[in-house]
Amino acid sequence: MEIEYDMPGFMRLHKSGRVERFAGTETVPPSPSRDPTTCVASKDIVLDTAANITARLYLPDTATNPGKKLPVVVLFHGGAFFVCSAASPIYHRYAASLAAAVPAVVVSVDYRLAPEHPLPAAYDDAFAALKAVVAACRPDGAEPWLAAHGDASRLCLLGDSAGGNMAHNTAIRLRKEGIDGFGDKVSGVALMHAYFWGTEPLASPVDAPFDMDRVWDVACGGRFGRDHPYINPASSPEEWRQLGCGRVLVTTAERCWFVERARAYAEGIKACGWQGELRFHETKGETHTYFLFKPGCDNAAKELDVVADFIRRC
């Protein structure tokens, strides 16, 4: 069969439209009775019935006191917009660890994947998920864990790789559209090894294993150029300065494919006139999203501490 696009080890798109995935297909169940390692309970929920948006929700054991409010983290998983889910082992483990470390209620969102659902489908799902989480945190909210323990006034968006791109774009859209009864800003946005790109090459110590121009073309079905603000925030500083949050954390690694984009983001967001607090954390010697695949290493523990501290301060 003729192949339209091949991303070795990840995904193959056939000209017929058939998609084969070679990564991110494994799943693990939630732990409603609490995970023995983290003491975090988790369950799968429907966030938006009309839009068919689901999520995995995490509640730390510190929330046992009735009425105890915790920060809320809306997490968007990575996977180049093509693979993985909230139930992927690496994301289940990370979300539970983060919920315990902060402590916070973590909402790990499932969203429609490309290429079957090209962008902006994932962006639309992300914003719909945010609106649903905000509504659920109200005293009469439909989800008991969020209604009892979620503090929407301390809500952070977080994502890694493509999920980091989604967190950024969700905050941009929030500032433009707002949410009734909530406003147009979240407390913070954490961009972990985020997937940003552009036509202007930036020197990088590590070559990406894939043609990132082509990845973007396939992810969006060719609808958006390679310097569209979705993928290159610097192409629209007027929009960037309106990022809907008061604090931003950018993390990267010395050998991450997007390390120069992360450094440029940290420099550019202040230069564009955004009025907020920026924190930048770069891990020496490590690769793209290493913390997902080596969660027990010292650097991963340090990065988790940085993220948890950022969320607590929001």
Side-chain angles (χ1 to χ4, degrees):
M1 296 181 69
E2 288 189 273
I3 296 172
E4 176 72 24
Y5 175 65
D6 189 23
M7 191 176 185
F10 267 66
M11 182 274 292
R12 180 179 297 141
L13 172 63
H14 295 266
K15 286 188 178 295
S16 65
R18 185 169 70 92
V19 176
E20 294 179 278
R21 289 183 169 85
F22 310 109
T25 58
E26 183 184 357
T27 61
V28 292
S31 304
S33 300
R34 300 199 181 279
D35 175 79
T37 303
T38 61
C39 296
V40 171
S42 55
K43 63 180 179 179
D44 292 333
I45 64 171
V46 177
L47 276 177
D48 186 323
T49 303
N52 194 31
I53 298 172
T54 61
R56 183 162 290 183
L57 185 60
Y58 298 81
L59 187 71
D61 63 351
T62 51
T64 52
N65 296 335
K68 180 177 176 59
K69 294 289 188 177
L70 297 172
V72 177
V73 178
V74 178
L75 184 157
F76 305 115
H77 67 79
F81 299 107
F82 298 138
V83 301
C84 293
S85 72
S88 296
I90 54 175
Y91 288 108
H92 177 71
R93 180 174 56 220
Y94 183 81
S97 298
L98 182 63
V102 177
V105 184
V106 175
V107 187
S108 184
V109 177
D110 274 316
Y111 53 87
R112 287 172 291 172
L113 298 176
E116 299 96 326
H117 305 282
L119 295 170
Y123 297 145
D124 291 341
D125 289 353
F127 193 67
L130 173 60
K131 290 194 291 185
V133 169
V134 167
C137 287
R138 294 169 183 148
D140 60 347
E143 170 43 54
W145 287 4
L146 285 168
H149 303 293
D151 183 356
S153 71
R154 293 184 289 162
L155 191 152
C156 291
L157 304 174
L158 179 148
D160 74 287
S161 197
N165 175 295
M166 291 175 63
H168 163 87
N169 282 299
T170 301
I172 290 288
R173 183 167 174 178
L174 176 62
R175 190 63 183 272
K176 290 179 179 178
E177 299 184 16
I179 296 175
D180 288 344
F182 178 73
D184 61 0
K185 287 186 177 183
V186 292
S187 296
V189 174
L191 310 175
M192 307 177 67
H193 304 218
Y195 173 28
F196 294 114
W197 209 245
T199 55
E200 181 182 352
L202 298 181
S204 177
V206 180
D207 289 332
F210 314 111
D211 179 348
M212 288 302 168
D213 288 336
R214 188 74 175 117
V215 169
W216 176 249
D217 293 344
V218 175
C220 70
R223 298 180 185 184
F224 308 110
R226 296 171 181 176
D227 277 318
H228 191 281
Y230 282 155
I231 190 66
N232 183 8
S235 68
S236 181
E238 300 83 4
E239 183 176 87
W240 198 4
R241 72 168 62 102
Q242 296 298 318
L243 188 72
C245 66
R247 303 180 74 240
V248 169
L249 168 67
V250 177
T251 78
T252 188
E254 184 180 20
R255 297 174 57 226
C256 176
W257 313 325
F258 310 122
V259 60
E260 291 300 335
R261 300 287 168 180
R263 293 167 181 165
Y265 188 104
E267 295 172 3
I269 193 170
K270 299 302 291 186
C272 77
W274 173 75
Q275 299 297 313
E277 180 184 337
L278 172 72
R279 183 168 183 184
F280 181 80
H281 176 78
E282 182 176 324
T283 302
K284 301 299 181 186
E286 297 288 4
T287 57
H288 183 63
T289 63
Y290 72 93
F291 53 87
L292 294 173
F293 305 99
K294 301 191 296 180
C297 74
D298 289 345
N299 282 336
K302 172 61 176 174
E303 185 148 341
L304 181 63
D305 286 345
V306 168
V307 175
D309 180 67
F310 172 79
I311 295 165
R312 282 193 294 267
R313 292 172 181 269
C314 282

